[in-house]
Amino acid sequence: MVVVLQLRGEFDARRVSDKTAHGAYQVLIMDVANAVGEDWAPRITAAFEKFKGDGSDGHARICSMAKSQGAPNYRPDYMIAHGVKAVLGTIEGDGLVPGFDPQASWAELLKDYLKCPS
């Protein structure tokens, strides 16, 4: 479910304060691609064919799942640790954006990023 990984990665990027850490989920995708090897391209192409974009059954299922699960509540340590501030030991506070509204951000991602119907 690369689409779900991307959606959650985008959410995590919004809540992690160190902007240099925001590419962490893309590194995870590259790590999976490297681990799978030459089979990655045809497998990911087949997966996206099933998804088929906005309005398809696959799109509707992912939107429904994302809405029912709601905003992630795990701590995105994988992303916080990926940033320059973690490497330098200069993380401010808990590494998260102060005052971040997870519900509003999740709703915005579902609407604008994933293009889920209201």
Side-chain angles (χ1 to χ4, degrees), residues 32-34 36-49:
V32 171
N34 288 334
V36 172
E38 63 186 43
D39 289 342
W40 173 255
R43 288 175 68 180
I44 198 68
T45 299
F48 278 108
E49 279 296 312

Short mmCIF file of all heavy atoms in Angstrom, two decimals, residues 32-34 36-49:
data_model
loop_
_atom_site.label_atom_id
_atom_site.label_comp_id
_atom_site.label_asym_id
_atom_site.label_seq_id
_atom_site.Cartn_x
_atom_site.Cartn_y
_atom_site.Cartn_z
N VAL A 32 12.41 -0.10 0.26
CA VAL A 32 11.57 -1.23 -0.15
C VAL A 32 11.85 -1.58 -1.61
O VAL A 32 12.02 -2.76 -1.95
CB VAL A 32 10.07 -0.91 0.06
CG1 VAL A 32 9.19 -1.99 -0.56
CG2 VAL A 32 9.76 -0.76 1.55
N ALA A 33 11.93 -0.57 -2.45
CA ALA A 33 12.21 -0.81 -3.87
C ALA A 33 13.55 -1.53 -4.05
O ALA A 33 13.66 -2.48 -4.83
CB ALA A 33 12.21 0.50 -4.64
N ASN A 34 14.55 -1.11 -3.31
CA ASN A 34 15.87 -1.75 -3.40
C ASN A 34 15.83 -3.18 -2.88
O ASN A 34 16.47 -4.07 -3.44
CB ASN A 34 16.92 -0.94 -2.65
CG ASN A 34 17.27 0.34 -3.37
OD1 ASN A 34 17.14 0.45 -4.58
ND2 ASN A 34 17.70 1.34 -2.61
N VAL A 36 13.21 -5.19 -2.87
CA VAL A 36 12.45 -6.02 -3.81
C VAL A 36 13.26 -6.26 -5.08
O VAL A 36 13.19 -7.33 -5.68
CB VAL A 36 11.09 -5.35 -4.15
CG1 VAL A 36 10.37 -6.08 -5.26
CG2 VAL A 36 10.22 -5.28 -2.89
N GLY A 37 14.06 -5.28 -5.48
CA GLY A 37 14.92 -5.44 -6.64
C GLY A 37 14.17 -5.19 -7.94
O GLY A 37 13.26 -4.38 -8.01
N GLU A 38 14.55 -5.92 -8.96
CA GLU A 38 14.01 -5.67 -10.29
C GLU A 38 12.52 -5.96 -10.41
O GLU A 38 11.87 -5.52 -11.36
CB GLU A 38 14.79 -6.44 -11.36
CG GLU A 38 14.73 -7.94 -11.20
CD GLU A 38 15.64 -8.66 -12.18
OE1 GLU A 38 16.79 -8.22 -12.36
OE2 GLU A 38 15.19 -9.67 -12.74
N ASP A 39 11.96 -6.68 -9.45
CA ASP A 39 10.52 -6.94 -9.45
C ASP A 39 9.71 -5.73 -9.01
O ASP A 39 8.49 -5.72 -9.15
CB ASP A 39 10.18 -8.12 -8.53
CG ASP A 39 10.64 -9.44 -9.08
OD1 ASP A 39 10.90 -9.52 -10.29
OD2 ASP A 39 10.72 -10.40 -8.30
N TRP A 40 10.38 -4.70 -8.46
CA TRP A 40 9.66 -3.55 -7.91
C TRP A 40 8.81 -2.83 -8.96
O TRP A 40 7.63 -2.59 -8.75
CB TRP A 40 10.63 -2.56 -7.27
CG TRP A 40 9.96 -1.29 -6.84
CD1 TRP A 40 10.01 -0.09 -7.44
CD2 TRP A 40 9.12 -1.11 -5.69
NE1 TRP A 40 9.27 0.85 -6.75
CE2 TRP A 40 8.71 0.23 -5.67
CE3 TRP A 40 8.67 -1.95 -4.68
CZ2 TRP A 40 7.88 0.76 -4.70
CZ3 TRP A 40 7.84 -1.43 -3.70
CH2 TRP A 40 7.46 -0.10 -3.71
N ALA A 41 9.41 -2.47 -10.07
CA ALA A 41 8.71 -1.68 -11.07
C ALA A 41 7.43 -2.36 -11.56
O ALA A 41 6.35 -1.73 -11.53
CB ALA A 41 9.62 -1.33 -12.24
N PRO A 42 7.47 -3.62 -11.96
CA PRO A 42 6.21 -4.24 -12.40
C PRO A 42 5.20 -4.41 -11.27
O PRO A 42 3.99 -4.27 -11.48
CB PRO A 42 6.62 -5.59 -12.98
CG PRO A 42 8.03 -5.82 -12.58
CD PRO A 42 8.62 -4.50 -12.21
N ARG A 43 5.68 -4.66 -10.06
CA ARG A 43 4.76 -4.82 -8.92
C ARG A 43 4.08 -3.50 -8.57
O ARG A 43 2.89 -3.47 -8.31
CB ARG A 43 5.50 -5.40 -7.72
CG ARG A 43 5.86 -6.86 -7.92
CD ARG A 43 6.70 -7.41 -6.82
NE ARG A 43 5.95 -7.49 -5.57
CZ ARG A 43 6.47 -7.94 -4.44
NH1 ARG A 43 7.72 -8.36 -4.41
NH2 ARG A 43 5.75 -7.98 -3.35
N ILE A 44 4.84 -2.40 -8.56
CA ILE A 44 4.25 -1.11 -8.20
C ILE A 44 3.32 -0.64 -9.32
O ILE A 44 2.26 -0.06 -9.06
CB ILE A 44 5.32 -0.07 -7.84
CG1 ILE A 44 4.70 1.09 -7.06
CG2 ILE A 44 6.03 0.47 -9.05
CD1 ILE A 44 4.22 0.74 -5.70
N THR A 45 3.68 -0.92 -10.56
CA THR A 45 2.81 -0.57 -11.68
C THR A 45 1.49 -1.32 -11.57
O THR A 45 0.42 -0.73 -11.75
CB THR A 45 3.50 -0.88 -13.02
OG1 THR A 45 4.70 -0.10 -13.10
CG2 THR A 45 2.60 -0.57 -14.20
N ALA A 46 1.55 -2.60 -11.27
CA ALA A 46 0.32 -3.40 -11.11
C ALA A 46 -0.53 -2.88 -9.94
O ALA A 46 -1.76 -2.81 -10.04
CB ALA A 46 0.68 -4.87 -10.89
N ALA A 47 0.13 -2.48 -8.85
CA ALA A 47 -0.60 -1.96 -7.70
C ALA A 47 -1.32 -0.66 -8.06
O ALA A 47 -2.49 -0.46 -7.69
CB ALA A 47 0.35 -1.73 -6.53
N PHE A 48 -0.65 0.23 -8.77
CA PHE A 48 -1.28 1.49 -9.16
C PHE A 48 -2.37 1.29 -10.21
O PHE A 48 -3.33 2.04 -10.26
CB PHE A 48 -0.24 2.52 -9.60
CG PHE A 48 0.39 3.24 -8.45
CD1 PHE A 48 1.70 2.98 -8.09
CD2 PHE A 48 -0.32 4.15 -7.69
CE1 PHE A 48 2.30 3.62 -7.01
CE2 PHE A 48 0.25 4.81 -6.61
CZ PHE A 48 1.56 4.54 -6.27
N GLU A 49 -2.23 0.26 -11.02
CA GLU A 49 -3.29 -0.06 -11.98
C GLU A 49 -4.58 -0.45 -11.23
O GLU A 49 -5.68 -0.08 -11.65
CB GLU A 49 -2.87 -1.19 -12.91
CG GLU A 49 -2.00 -0.73 -14.05
CD GLU A 49 -2.73 0.22 -14.98
OE1 GLU A 49 -3.87 -0.07 -15.40
OE2 GLU A 49 -2.16 1.28 -15.29
#
